[in-house]
Structures are given as structure tokens and as C-alpha cells.
Amino acid sequence: MTGLSRRAALAIGATALAGAGLVGLDLAVRRLGRAPRLMEGIVWQVHGGLLDPHGDWNEIGARSLLVQWLVADGTAFVPLPDLGLPLIADAPNWTRITREPWAQTIIAGLAGRFKEPEARRDVLALGALSARVARQSLPFTPAGFYFPVEADPTWTGVGQMAAAIADIPRPLWVSAYDNSNVGAKAFADWVEGWLPSDVGLFFQDGVGVYTRSPEAARSYAQVLTQRLGSDRFRLIAEAFRPAGSDLLRAATAAELLPQLRAYDGFEVFVFDGPHYMDRLLVQRLLAG
């Protein structure tokens, strides 16, 4: 979700649909009422190559959708005529999306940039634009808002964050990661140094780029929950793995299932459902 690796070109090959055996297993599991609840929601990183997300993530618990941004690099993914922003061609069908069982609640990401260095450089301007976007008439009623300028301990300008998000309506969330592995306590100290007390945090687990193990990510989650409170903390599970040459691939069920099980007790959002979690992967997670 963040850093160059998370914004690299997607490298997922076409995956075959589940065969008759998996379909039968799916039906049997559902009839027995044993479908696992492995997540709270999914993250959708909207861009011109993925404007029509479909999935059955609700089968493993997803009921919330975090839309990474409604505006990226000055292009809108929802109609915003009052702001004079161009709407992307073939915009998402928000009417259909809001009816999906995995989008019972939607957290609306606001204004960002595709490249992280540019987003950080323009954090104050993006905050001002985000405050305006949040006050427009949207095609759905957000359960909250998300400011899509991601933070980590290497960002020397993180002190601007409070000013950037001051005028954005609450409930409001931001996200942060720790590719430097400063440790759970030091990371929590750093977060408390700049995060306003009325803003929540999505913590990116770092497992997708092998920064840490799921067990280590859980220790971060425990410390951050103690500091911020459970209402202000959510955990993002990265559902990708490196594929070489700065590319990413979808995690396998054998990789992702232990990761999600390690986070039992936390509200988990998976990045990025539409890109990395196809129907076959969901079926394999169901099978356990």
C-alpha cells in the first residue's frame, strides 16, 4: 500500500476459475456454517486499470470497504462537479458497489497521489483538497474518511500531518508502516508524537514485503492498541509478495492463511482485495 514496492506495476497473471470440486467444497462449508471470519474488510486501491471490483470476500468475513482515494493526481473517481475535477472515463459503478455484502460500510479515501514522494511533498495541499472532497455530495454515505498520505519513521515532514488533516471531517483515519523495523515500542512512540488524538491509525503489517513475520506484526498491533485504544486501531494485512524486479504477486493461501490467523482479535483489512484476492484464493482460504 505504500512505498515504491506497493505502488509498483501489478504483476498478477490470469488465474483459472475454481473447479467443480472447490465449488462443491464451498457449498458444503457454507451449509455447515463453518465459514471462517478472517477479516473485517478489504482495501481497494482505485486506478484506471481497476474500476469495477468484484469478489466474494464476504465469504471470509469482509463487510467493510476502505477506498484508498476518491481523487488521485487530480482525477476524480466520483463525480465532483463543484470542485472542477475531471471524472475518470468509465467511472466505478458506485450504486452496484454499495450493494455488495463486502461494502456494507465504506471508508472514503480522499485526495492523494499515486507516487508517495509527491504525496508527502504536497501533504498540505492534499489535506486542503481532501477537506473539500469530504464535504461534497458523494454517491454513498461514508462511515468515515481516510487521508491517503502514508507515513513512516523516515518521513522527516510527518509533523505537517496534523495541520494537513485539521479541517477534514471526523471520523478520520490515516495509515503508517515501518519498513525500517524500529520496533513496536519505538514505532508507537513515534506515532503518538504526530497523530492527533481524534484520528485513527491503519497499520500496514509489512508481511507482504518480508519486513516482518505475522507474529512480529501482531506485537506491533498489540502495542499500538494499548497506546491508541481499540477504537483507533486497525491492521492492514498485505496480501501480496515480491515477484522480482520490483513487481508483486498475490500471496498464496499457504502464505496468507497463517498471516490472517495470527491477527485473530484485531479488525483486519486486506490490501488489496480487488488486486490480490480472486475467487480461487478465497475458496482455498475457506478450505483452510
Side-chain angles (χ1 to χ4, degrees), residues 19 48 79-80 90 110 120 144 146 199 212 284:
L80 296 170
D90 193 24
L110 298 168
R120 291 179 173 183
Y146 168 73
V199 176
R212 65 184 53 85
R284 287 174 171 164

Side-chain angles (χ1 to χ4, degrees), residues 33-57:
R34 296 177 183 171
R37 183 171 181 80
L38 297 174
M39 64 181 70
E40 167 67 22
I42 60 166
V43 184
W44 172 28
Q45 190 179 71
V46 195
H47 60 75
L50 210 165
L51 297 171
D52 190 30
H54 286 79
D56 49 6
W57 309 290

